[in-house]
Amino acid sequence: TNESFYTVSFSKGPIGLRLESDYYGSVAIVRGFFGQDSLAKSSGCISPGDRLTHINGFDIQNAPFDHALDIFRAVQRDPFDLKFARRGIEHIDWSKKLNGGIQEARRAIYEAKAKFFSAPRMEDGMVYCSLTRNRGRNVNAFNLHRDDTGEFLLACSVQADGTGPMILHTQKDSHLRNLKDIVTAQDNASYLGCIIPNFVGTEFRVIDFRTNAWDSSEVELSEETGLNEVCAMSYEVNFLGREPNFFKVFLRKPRVWEDEVDNWDSDSQNVSSSDPLAGSGKSLLNCAAGFKRNIGEPMPANSIQKLWENVFPEKKQNDDNPSDVYQGVGTSETEGDSSLMVLETKKPTWNTTISAWVLNFNGRVRIPSKKNFILIPEQGNMTTESEFTNRDGEITEMVVLRHGKMSKSRFTVDFRYPICPLAALAICCSSFAMKRAVT
């Protein structure tokens, strides 16, 4: 990474340094100072955004934030040293011939956005959040907050009728304006990306901020090549709604996004091969269509085919050769792509006592709703399940995303590795979108 390290020595404390953790409580970051005359501020070395890495030589980079604070307070009785890390800007592409201040500002914007694409580590466990639905005259907005701190994270906005692209951003009041009033330029500090649905509302593609949601050529390029794609969702057609909705999520294994900021070139079509969102030549949904089915009941290769077969059953292809009918989006192995992970909604069980479908949400959901779901690794997919083995090498069922209704306008959104905050919001918001082939 492009980080520089420096050490500051103090005779004793307190030094007036304000620290905060990242989303997952595992990193101590300088937020600011308590007073302009504080020792930390007067040192002239420490800046907001720097990362505290060592206290008196003790490495706290992997220590819980609360533990790091305890150590920080304890050492201030005597002289002590603090070591910090600061991200550099050594690899700016000056060939763009832009003012250095503009380049630095752009980099700062990209670094601020990176946290929304960073998944928690496996050991961080579940991140507990809530989703608030704000209905406006023309726009509905879904704001995501952390439950433990109440911190606003990000939001998703869509037309009030649930149709068209859904815009991901960091504005709290988007329901009070028109959707196209949200600036979707990649250098805009609040724009994070978009969710693009297909016509029947069974497939949703999540694209990052380097693709303009309103530029059809950029959207089509991403659809063809997978450029700037974060994840994708594929819903099973469900006309009558007699059974709960079922869908799968396709995404790639998480990478350290902060380490990839240098690859986020200002030209969204000119990305480095090491960029975590660089196109692989295929979109995630196209990669999914290339899976090899090996066990279980397959899903159709695409939702349009199943829609056609439901409406015109006499047109259904010959079932004698399943490989001609299906290209296997069901339990499967990826072909030549070990980075692709597949998640699916857990199927509920029918409770004869209450005559309803039920799932165990561990008290995080209070109101029955078709929008309630639990996301788990795809069953039978060894590539995905291998990410969730215990110390004994056994594959355990693990909830990676939990979404459900708590009140009329509040919903639970709990997520963990490998889901990042933006993907968690996008997946949950897809359940609110207009779907012509799903009830």
Side-chain angles (χ1 to χ4, degrees):
T1 63
N2 302 320
E3 287 186 322
S4 59
F5 294 87
Y6 64 92
T7 301
V8 184
S9 299
F10 297 93
S11 58
K12 64 176 182 179
I15 61 172
L17 182 64
R18 179 178 297 175
L19 298 171
E20 67 177 2
S21 69
D22 64 356
Y23 283 170
Y24 314 115
S26 58
V27 179
I29 301 172
V30 177
R31 180 179 179 181
F33 309 96
F34 294 101
Q36 295 298 315
D37 297 330
S38 66
L39 294 177
K41 176 73 173 178
S42 301
S43 70
C45 300
I46 306 172
S47 299
D50 292 352
R51 182 166 54 89
L52 180 60
T53 63
H54 295 76
I55 300 176
N56 274 350
F58 181 76
D59 189 345
I60 64 165
Q61 295 181 82
N62 295 317
F65 180 66
D66 291 341
H67 182 48
L69 279 184
D70 290 340
I71 298 174
F72 177 65
R73 295 188 184 104
V75 300
Q76 295 190 50
R77 302 184 184 95
D78 302 302
F80 61 97
D81 298 329
L82 300 179
K83 185 176 181 179
F84 297 87
R86 176 178 299 166
R87 292 198 60 86
I89 54 171
E90 296 84 0
H91 295 277
I92 289 177
D93 184 5
W94 297 106
S95 63
K96 299 294 182 181
K97 297 181 180 180
L98 296 176
N99 180 277
I102 296 177
Q103 283 283 17
E104 188 172 351
R106 172 178 287 147
R107 182 185 179 86
I109 290 173
Y110 288 4
E111 287 180 349
K113 292 181 178 183
K115 62 183 180 181
F116 298 108
F117 298 88
S118 299
R121 300 171 302 178
M122 180 72 78
E123 57 268 27
D124 290 330
M126 192 73 78
V127 180
Y128 297 95
C129 299
S130 59
L131 184 71
T132 304
R133 177 170 55 187
N134 299 312
R135 297 181 184 272
R137 181 176 181 180
N138 301 313
V139 172
N140 288 340
F142 304 90
N143 294 356
L144 186 67
H145 296 79
R146 283 199 63 149
D147 279 356
D148 54 354
T149 63
E151 175 190 4
F152 169 76
L153 301 181
L154 68 159
C156 178
S157 300
V158 65
Q159 296 283 3
D161 60 2
T163 61
M166 308 177 83
I167 309 301
L168 298 159
H169 56 86
T170 58
Q171 299 177 22
K172 297 181 181 180
D173 59 351
S174 59
H175 61 290
L176 302 177
R177 61 189 75 184
N178 293 321
L179 192 63
K180 288 199 173 182
D181 290 341
I182 302 174
V183 179
T184 55
Q186 79 165 45
D187 289 340
N188 181 269
S190 66
Y191 177 55
L192 299 174
C194 58
I195 309 171
I196 305 296
N198 66 350
F199 176 74
V200 293
T202 55
E203 294 178 351
F204 298 83
R205 299 173 55 254
V206 183
I207 311 172
D208 87 333
F209 56 89
R210 288 172 296 176
T211 295
N212 190 322
W214 306 114
D215 190 322
S216 59
S217 62
E218 290 188 11
V219 171
E220 290 173 2
L221 177 65
S222 177
E223 182 176 2
E224 293 172 0
T225 65
L227 189 69
N228 306 337
E229 199 169 30
V230 179
C231 65
M233 292 77 78
S234 178
Y235 281 75
E236 191 172 40
V237 173
N238 187 6
F239 276 121
L240 301 179
R242 293 175 179 173
E243 296 183 356
N245 292 333
F246 176 83
F247 66 91
K248 292 180 183 266
V249 176
F250 306 93
L251 70 164
R252 301 196 183 278
K253 292 181 181 178
R255 295 177 61 173
V256 182
W257 283 71
E258 287 84 351
D259 295 348
E260 304 296 339
V261 171
D262 289 320
N263 298 318
W264 287 355
D265 191 276
S266 59
D267 182 356
S268 63
Q269 299 181 23
N270 180 24
V271 294
S272 165
S273 59
S274 61
D275 188 337
L277 292 183
S280 61
K282 284 186 177 181
S283 69
L284 289 169
L285 290 173
N286 287 338
C287 289
F291 279 4
K292 291 182 176 180
R293 178 174 61 90
N294 51 25
I295 61 173
E297 290 296 323
M299 288 176 58
N302 59 69
S303 55
I304 300 297
Q305 178 180 318
K306 184 167 184 179
L307 178 61
W308 178 267
E309 292 175 356
N310 275 292
V311 178
F312 303 105
E314 69 279 4
K315 302 290 186 181
K316 189 173 182 178
Q317 300 180 47
N318 186 1
D319 289 335
D320 294 338
N321 187 357
S323 62
D324 292 338
V325 181
Y326 301 116
Q327 294 178 351
V329 185
T331 47
S332 49
E333 294 286 343
T334 60
E335 183 175 9
D337 191 351
S338 60
S339 68
L340 190 60
M341 302 182 70
V342 186
L343 310 173
E344 64 183 11
T345 49
K346 184 177 181 180
K347 294 184 178 180
T349 56
W350 180 259
N351 188 309
T352 55
T353 304
I354 61 175
S355 297
W357 296 98
V358 295
L359 274 176
N360 182 10
F361 288 91
N362 293 325
R364 292 288 289 166
V365 175
R366 296 178 181 174
I367 301 176
S369 172
K370 293 271 297 186
K371 297 177 176 62
N372 299 347
F373 65 83
I374 290 176
L375 207 59
I376 61 175
E378 183 188 40
Q379 303 299 290
N381 184 328
M382 298 305 297
T383 301
T384 301
E385 288 186 335
S386 63
E387 292 288 307
F388 302 95
T389 55
N390 58 25
R391 293 181 178 179
D392 298 326
E394 298 174 343
I395 298 173
T396 58
E397 181 180 275
M398 180 178 292
V399 174
V400 296
L401 178 62
R402 180 168 50 218
H403 174 65
K405 194 169 186 177
M406 296 291 288
S407 65
K408 183 177 181 180
S409 59
R410 186 169 176 266
F411 299 80
T412 291
V413 180
D414 302 334
F415 64 95
R416 64 179 303 159
Y417 176 92
I419 304 291
C420 66
L422 182 133
L425 177 61
I427 294 168
C428 294
C429 285
S430 70
S431 66
F432 296 93
M434 171 66 179
K435 303 180 184 68
R436 295 175 174 87
V438 183
T439 56

